[in-house]
């Protein structure tokens, strides 16, 4: 945006200018952090007056700042400084409202180069007057141009996509979940928190004494929660599988035990939970600044998947994306390059997966590969490379070449981009919830919500 001002000598009585601004939830967060005003009336998810409903009212000074944006950007523009400002508030603006801010020159003072302007802000949808008043400013004397694109951008870190998943999952019936060895504060706390949000109804399997001691450490009650006392981890995992066969559990959740110990009884050819596809792990990631959830697979189970395994990885990820409400999942199959290179096996596998999707061997989504990371998620990068595809630059799912690449990618997103991740395993009769010990409460809740939404879709429940 190129800003060019109007000098004092160029201004005339009656000159006017206006700008439009869509108010967003992120604006509230930024304003609260910058101003230090944490009034819950101005937070998108808080009930500031205890009436049972979030208010999400835009702060008055944020609305007033839209007047300063007109003054500083357009009229008079660059070089303008305030002398005084008066506001009278008539209505409220909320997140989602588009506002129009307007200034009109009403007086000029040649002695000190000040200009008086009438000011107002209106809601666009109904033309309601939100505020009016006047401003006295020192107008610039010299022409100035300034490119505002030079300003650094801001990315608000919040659980935008996970919050939506929770809203979709909470109205569903609680998912009966066998929680295996929740004998530490993270695993037990996550299960109880998901129960509090009515996402799961946990059945706790493990050492009852350790579980009780952990609940006491958390200050949580286990009243009404079924506990099956099994002292060894292998036995607890086997009993969890039996609960699925008995129809008492529709999901499994990893507690304080090794992942391979949990999965071993699931993979048993006679008594396990195999369904014909390979077990594959999927990270559902909430990446700050990204407009949609990002699924990464496989980053935790299949170390060096062959083409057949990658078909299952891709299909499982598409099925999960559909369960999360992504209507036509777009799959970017990653390699180091976006062209097929016979010396690079991952590029060949990616091309074959793309063609298999074209022939209906992979269904439910759009599959494109090979794609490099940049042109899989960034439209500008895809255009620079001349890639014309509905997937390139818009991928909802990233299928990685191997576990090394997937694990590194997921952790880079978590630790460098501050993404949150929810982890599930698909391919069994029921979803398996896998959490890391480093996951926070939101990640644990989101993992349970993902499992609940997937089970709901597979069981034909309400969407």
């Amino acid at each position: 945006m190129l800003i060019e001002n109007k000098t004092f000598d160029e201004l005339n009585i009656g000159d006017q200018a206006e700008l439009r601004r869509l108010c967003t939830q992120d604006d509230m967060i930024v304003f609260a952090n910058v101003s230090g005003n944490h009034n819950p009336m101005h937070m998108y998810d808080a009930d500031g007056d205890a009436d049972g409903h979030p208010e999400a009212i835009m702060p008055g000074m944020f609305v007033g700042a839209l007047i300063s944006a007109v003054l500083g950007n357009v009229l008079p523009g660059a070089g303008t400084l305030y002398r005084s400002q008066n506001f009278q508030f008539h209505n409220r603006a909320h997140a989602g409202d588009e506002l129009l801010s307007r200034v009109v020159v009403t007086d000029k003072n040649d002695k000190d180069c000040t200009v008086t302007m009438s000011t107002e802000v209106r809601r666009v949808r109904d033309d309601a007057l939100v505020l009016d008043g006047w401003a006295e400013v020192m107008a610039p004397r010299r022409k100035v141009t300034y490119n505002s694109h030079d300003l650094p951008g801001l990315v608000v870190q919040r659980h935008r996509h996970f919050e939506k998943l929770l809203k979709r999952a909470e109205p569903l019936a609680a998912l009966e979940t066998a929680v295996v060895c929740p004998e530490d504060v993270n695993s037990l706390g996550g299960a109880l928190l998901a129960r509090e949000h009515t996402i799961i109804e946990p059945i706790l399997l493990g050492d009852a004494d350790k579980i009780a001691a952990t609940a006491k450490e958390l200050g949580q009650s286990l009243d009404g929660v079924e506990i099956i006392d099994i002292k060894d981890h292998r036995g607890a995992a086997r009993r969890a599988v039996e609960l699925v066969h008995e129809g008492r559990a529709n999901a499994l959740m990893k507690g304080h035990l090794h992942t391979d110990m949990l999965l071993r009884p699931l993979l048993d050819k006679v008594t396990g939970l195999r369904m014909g596809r390979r077990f594959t792990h999927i990270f559902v990631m909430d990446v700050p600044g990204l407009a949609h959830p990002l699924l990464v697979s496989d980053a935790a189970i299949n170390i060096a998947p062959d083409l057949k395994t990658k078909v299952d990885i891709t299909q499982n990820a598409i099925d999960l994306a559909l369960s999360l409400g992504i209507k036509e999942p777009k799959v970017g199959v990653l390699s180091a390059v976006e062209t097929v290179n016979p010396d690079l096996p991952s590029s060949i596998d990616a091309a074959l997966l793309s063609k298999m999707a074209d022939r209906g061997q992979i269904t439910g989504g759009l599959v494109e590969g090979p794609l490099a990371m940049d042109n899989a998620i960034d439209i500008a990068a895809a255009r620079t490379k001349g890639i014309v595809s509905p997937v390139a630059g818009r991928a909802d799912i990233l299928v990685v070449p191997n576990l090394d690449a997937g694990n590194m990618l997921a952790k880079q997103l978590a630790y460098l981009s501050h993404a949150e991740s929810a982890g599930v395993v698909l391919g069994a009769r029921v979803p398996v919830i896998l959490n890391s010990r480093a996951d926070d409460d939101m990640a644990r809740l989101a993992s349970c919500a993902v499992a609940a939404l997937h089970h709901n879709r597979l069981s034909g429940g309400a969407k």
Side-chain angles (χ1 to χ4, degrees), residues 161-224:
H161 306 305
F162 281 179
E163 288 164 356
K164 291 179 181 178
L165 293 181
L166 292 180
K167 287 182 179 179
R168 287 172 58 91
E170 285 177 343
L172 304 177
L175 180 64
E176 301 89 349
T177 303
V179 186
V180 185
C181 302
E183 298 165 355
D184 71 327
V185 294
N186 289 326
S187 57
L188 181 59
L192 295 179
L193 183 62
R195 181 177 188 256
E196 180 183 332
H197 283 258
T198 69
I199 297 173
I200 70 169
E201 183 55 47
I203 302 171
L204 309 180
L205 301 97
D207 188 317
D209 293 333
K210 291 182 179 179
I211 293 172
T214 303
K216 184 177 180 180
E217 183 179 351
L218 286 168
Q220 294 278 351
S221 170
L222 296 176
D223 291 345

Side-chain angles (χ1 to χ4, degrees), residues 52-73:
H53 303 283
E55 282 69 41
I57 297 172
M58 301 305 297
M61 288 300 99
F62 173 86
V63 177
L66 301 183
I67 293 295
S68 70
V70 185
L71 297 173
N73 291 343

Side-chain angles (χ1 to χ4, degrees), residues 89-363:
F89 290 88
H90 303 277
N91 284 287
R92 304 297 180 190
H94 296 77
D97 283 340
E98 186 179 16
L99 301 182
L100 185 146
S101 48
R102 179 184 293 118
V103 303
V104 180
V105 177
T106 58
D107 192 24
K108 293 178 64 177
N109 187 333
D110 293 320
K111 293 181 179 179
D112 57 6
C113 293
T114 57
V115 178
T116 303
M117 313 180 102
S118 65
T119 62
E120 68 173 25
V121 176
R122 291 181 176 271
R123 284 198 307 251
V124 172
R125 59 182 167 86
D126 57 3
D127 198 38
L129 181 65
V130 178
L131 68 79
D132 63 3
W134 52 262
E136 185 181 23
V137 300
M138 297 173 60
R141 297 303 303 266
R142 300 181 181 87
K143 295 293 288 184
V144 176
T145 58
Y146 179 74
N147 189 345
S148 65
H149 285 309
D150 293 337
L151 292 176
L154 292 176
V155 175
V156 175
Q157 183 182 343
R158 68 180 179 93
H159 313 288
R160 182 196 313 271
H161 306 305
F162 281 179
E163 288 164 356
K164 291 179 181 178
L165 293 181
L166 292 180
K167 287 182 179 179
R168 287 172 58 91
E170 285 177 343
L172 304 177
L175 180 64
E176 301 89 349
T177 303
V179 186
V180 185
C181 302
E183 298 165 355
D184 71 327
V185 294
N186 289 326
S187 57
L188 181 59
L192 295 179
L193 183 62
R195 181 177 188 256
E196 180 183 332
H197 283 258
T198 69
I199 297 173
I200 70 169
E201 183 55 47
I203 302 171
L204 309 180
L205 301 97
D207 188 317
D209 293 333
K210 291 182 179 179
I211 293 172
T214 303
K216 184 177 180 180
E217 183 179 351
L218 286 168
Q220 294 278 351
S221 170
L222 296 176
D223 291 345
V225 180
E226 181 177 358
I227 302 173
I228 300 176
D229 186 18
I230 301 175
K231 300 301 182 184
D232 69 289
H233 290 180
R234 287 186 177 86
R238 285 195 298 269
R239 181 62 184 133
V241 172
E242 292 172 359
L243 291 180
V244 174
H245 286 300
E246 295 168 7
R248 295 186 57 203
N250 290 307
L252 299 181
M253 184 174 182
K254 177 180 177 289
H256 191 57
L257 77 167
H258 290 297
T259 300
D260 60 348
M261 192 172 293
L262 173 66
L263 295 181
R264 192 172 293 123
L266 278 71
L267 292 166
D268 188 283
K269 293 181 179 179
V270 178
T271 62
L273 301 178
R274 291 173 179 264
M275 288 290 290
R277 284 191 201 160
R278 288 291 296 266
F279 284 18
T280 66
H281 179 272
I282 305 164
F283 274 124
V284 181
M285 309 206 73
D286 190 333
V287 184
L290 195 62
H292 56 82
L294 185 67
L295 281 63
V296 177
S297 189
D298 184 325
I301 292 182
N302 293 284
I303 297 174
D306 56 15
L307 179 63
K308 184 178 179 181
T309 302
K310 286 182 180 179
V311 171
D312 288 349
I313 289 172
T314 304
Q315 190 65 67
N316 282 344
I318 290 173
D319 291 348
L320 184 62
L322 291 169
S323 299
L324 302 184
I326 301 174
K327 294 183 178 179
E328 189 176 44
K330 294 176 282 294
V331 182
V333 188
L334 295 184
S335 183
V337 295
E338 62 279 345
T339 56
V340 177
N341 184 336
D343 295 324
L344 194 58
S346 62
S347 71
I348 299 174
D349 285 352
L352 291 172
L353 290 169
S354 180
K355 180 54 67 176
M356 292 172 78
D358 291 343
R359 298 290 174 87
Q361 293 172 269
I362 300 171
T363 62

